Amino acid sequence: MSARADIVIVGAGPAGLAAALAAAPSGARIVVLDDNPAPGGQIWRDGAQATLPAEALRLRERLAACANVRLACATRVVALAGARGLLLEDPERGWRLDYEKLILCTGARELLLPFPGWTLPGVTGAGGLQALIKGGLPVSGEHLVLAGSGPLLLASAATAKANGARVLRIAEQAPWSAVARFALRLPRWPNKLAQSFALHDPGYRANSHVVAALGSERLEGVRLNQGGKLLEIECERLACGFGLIPNIQLAQALGCAIDGNAIAVDAWQASSREAVYAAGECSGFGGSELALVEGAIAGHAAVGEPQRARALWRQRQRWQGFAEALRRDFALDPRLSRLAAPDTLVCRCEDVPYSSLAGQPDWTAAKLASRCGMGACQGRVCGAAAQHLFGWQPPAPRPPFSPARLDTLLQLVEDDGAA
């Protein structure tokens, strides 16, 4: 089974929604794909215990009113299919979707760094905990510690507190001087300043980072380094987030140029690959406001509306300033790369410890020697950690990009046979 669209947008977070709405008035046939059951991405994730902001609801309503936009949720990209095609799968079927223009709004994943005890039940990512709570995880009455870096810690803490958790400590690894410098810049972005007051927590401590998660069968406490002094806090949950890693797998498979760890784009949000654009956190983390304006620029550019795209450049520049402040003031302390002990697992899927990787020259050698990255997550967690720990650049992914049914994969063979 196959279909065709003028524009395919991969990702229905803020960037993907904005791209679709910018391109829709042109009359182009647009398909928006997302692997979540509802649009919104990670930042506007829906669920049993989620409260969506008014802007997210407004964008959903506007998108639903566009007759030329089809939203395909719970749909994953399994493989590339020809020069301008994608092999897709949802819970019911697999099919091929061909496109004239492609806009990648694939978002980002959490960076999880290994430390002793990080695989204990009760330890999650900060964003992961937020997603679990929104999906219905009960946390009422539980004692929670968050550790890592950046505003996501505060947002996750607020979600947990709103659902009855007791937040004991928010350990921010950045020094107080960097946090203060960032806070002094916030008046340039008034809505962010207002958010900072709303998210304030008395348990917040800068110059503080996780050393180890404590417990035998599950998490019982956490050991922190706070200003050079070690302390232990009893808790039932530990949520860690050391920043975000752009999700560039599909871009790598397409052959798009990568700048650092993000998709390289020009002023029109166009990638190095013809007819492929990128917007949002896959082209660099900067929050929902930057994602929205980048998505709109990409949408206008994809349908040949350069003047409308150009009119948004100044707004994008403003939010790029916020993104740069985040990167600079919450840069990770090099000490976080030395948290793992020799027996600390780096690849949880294949039980590969730090000591098995430390002497390897690159990612490929590590996989051959230890099976690192060859488990269920296919390197999505340990690959980013290894890149941060050792400087290894993971190679471009090979299909299938996610587990798929055999009858879906057979469509690639049938297409090749028909050609």
Side-chain angles (χ1 to χ4, degrees), residues 82-143:
R84 294 191 183 183
L86 302 173
L87 181 64
L88 308 174
E89 185 178 85
D90 64 19
E92 298 179 356
R93 64 188 179 113
W95 79 99
R96 172 175 174 162
L97 179 61
D98 295 317
Y99 58 85
E100 294 297 323
K101 302 285 181 65
L102 179 67
I103 304 178
L104 301 177
C105 302
T106 47
R109 299 190 301 272
E110 282 190 277
L111 173 61
L112 302 176
L113 297 179
F115 54 86
W118 77 299
T119 59
L120 283 171
V123 182
T124 65
L129 177 62
Q130 192 177 39
L132 288 169
I133 293 173
K134 290 180 178 180
L137 176 72
V139 294
S140 181
E142 292 188 343
H143 296 81

Side-chain angles (χ1 to χ4, degrees), residues 49 126 129-130 133-134 137-146 153-167 237 239:
Q49 297 178 164
L129 177 62
Q130 192 177 39
I133 293 173
K134 290 180 178 180
L137 176 72
V139 294
S140 181
E142 292 188 343
H143 296 81
L144 169 66
V145 172
L146 296 102
L153 297 180
L154 292 168
S156 297
T159 299
K161 286 190 294 185
N163 286 274
R166 296 185 61 188
V167 175
R237 290 195 181 275

Side-chain angles (χ1 to χ4, degrees), residues 39-403:
Q42 297 302 320
I43 193 168
W44 292 336
R45 175 183 282 271
D46 206 346
Q49 297 178 164
T51 301
L52 295 178
E55 185 171 24
L57 296 173
R58 179 177 59 84
L59 292 180
R60 275 192 185 187
E61 292 173 359
R62 289 181 56 196
L63 192 71
C66 297
N68 58 321
V69 178
R70 175 191 170 196
L71 180 62
C73 289
T75 301
R76 298 171 298 178
V77 178
V78 173
L80 304 182
R84 294 191 183 183
L86 302 173
L87 181 64
L88 308 174
E89 185 178 85
D90 64 19
E92 298 179 356
R93 64 188 179 113
W95 79 99
R96 172 175 174 162
L97 179 61
D98 295 317
Y99 58 85
E100 294 297 323
K101 302 285 181 65
L102 179 67
I103 304 178
L104 301 177
C105 302
T106 47
R109 299 190 301 272
E110 282 190 277
L111 173 61
L112 302 176
L113 297 179
F115 54 86
W118 77 299
T119 59
L120 283 171
V123 182
T124 65
L129 177 62
Q130 192 177 39
L132 288 169
I133 293 173
K134 290 180 178 180
L137 176 72
V139 294
S140 181
E142 292 188 343
H143 296 81
L144 169 66
V145 172
L146 296 102
S149 192
L152 179 59
L153 297 180
L154 292 168
S156 297
T159 299
K161 286 190 294 185
N163 286 274
R166 296 185 61 188
V167 175
L168 304 179
R169 185 60 48 89
I170 302 175
E172 167 58 58
Q173 61 85 40
W176 281 113
S177 58
V179 174
R181 185 168 58 244
F182 180 76
L184 289 173
R185 293 193 183 98
L186 281 179
R188 295 172 55 189
W189 307 282
N191 61 324
K192 293 297 184 183
L193 180 62
Q195 286 179 17
S196 70
F197 288 122
L199 295 176
H200 172 72
D201 189 283
Y204 186 89
R205 300 289 188 277
N207 194 25
S208 180
H209 67 266
V210 64
V211 174
L214 310 175
S216 52
E217 298 299 319
R218 64 165 289 112
L219 181 73
E220 298 173 9
V222 58
R223 182 177 297 129
L224 300 173
N225 181 322
Q226 186 170 299
K229 298 180 179 180
L230 295 180
L231 72 154
E232 295 183 0
I233 301 175
E234 294 183 2
C235 59
E236 288 87 47
R237 290 195 181 275
L238 169 63
C240 293
F242 298 95
L244 297 174
I245 295 293
N247 187 356
I248 60 173
Q249 282 195 316
L250 185 52
Q252 286 179 301
L254 287 163
C256 299
I258 305 300
D259 181 10
N261 61 2
I263 305 171
V265 294
D266 63 14
W268 310 101
Q269 299 296 138
S271 76
S272 64
R273 179 74 182 269
E274 183 183 4
V276 178
Y277 299 79
E281 292 171 350
C282 62
S283 60
F285 174 67
S288 61
E289 293 86 357
L290 179 58
L292 285 166
V293 69
E294 286 181 346
I297 290 171
H300 287 307
V303 295
E305 297 174 344
Q307 294 304 317
R308 292 186 176 183
R310 188 188 296 272
L312 296 171
W313 284 5
R314 180 173 295 183
Q315 185 180 348
R316 178 180 59 189
Q317 185 178 27
R318 177 170 176 262
W319 289 111
Q320 284 174 337
F322 177 75
E324 178 56 32
L326 277 177
R327 283 191 290 269
R328 182 172 55 249
D329 295 333
F330 292 96
L332 294 184
D333 190 308
R335 291 178 296 175
L336 299 178
S337 298
R338 301 189 292 270
L339 295 177
D343 62 347
T344 301
L345 295 182
V346 175
C347 175
R348 297 182 296 183
C349 298
E350 295 293 325
D351 293 336
V352 181
Y354 181 90
S355 58
S356 297
L357 303 176
Q360 300 299 330
D362 55 37
W363 177 251
T364 300
K367 289 181 70 174
L368 291 173
S370 67
R371 290 188 55 82
C372 182
M374 299 178 71
C377 86
Q378 288 292 288
R380 287 176 173 83
V381 176
C382 61
Q387 184 176 10
H388 185 83
L389 295 175
F390 308 114
W392 299 341
Q393 180 63 49
R398 294 184 295 178
F401 305 139
S402 60

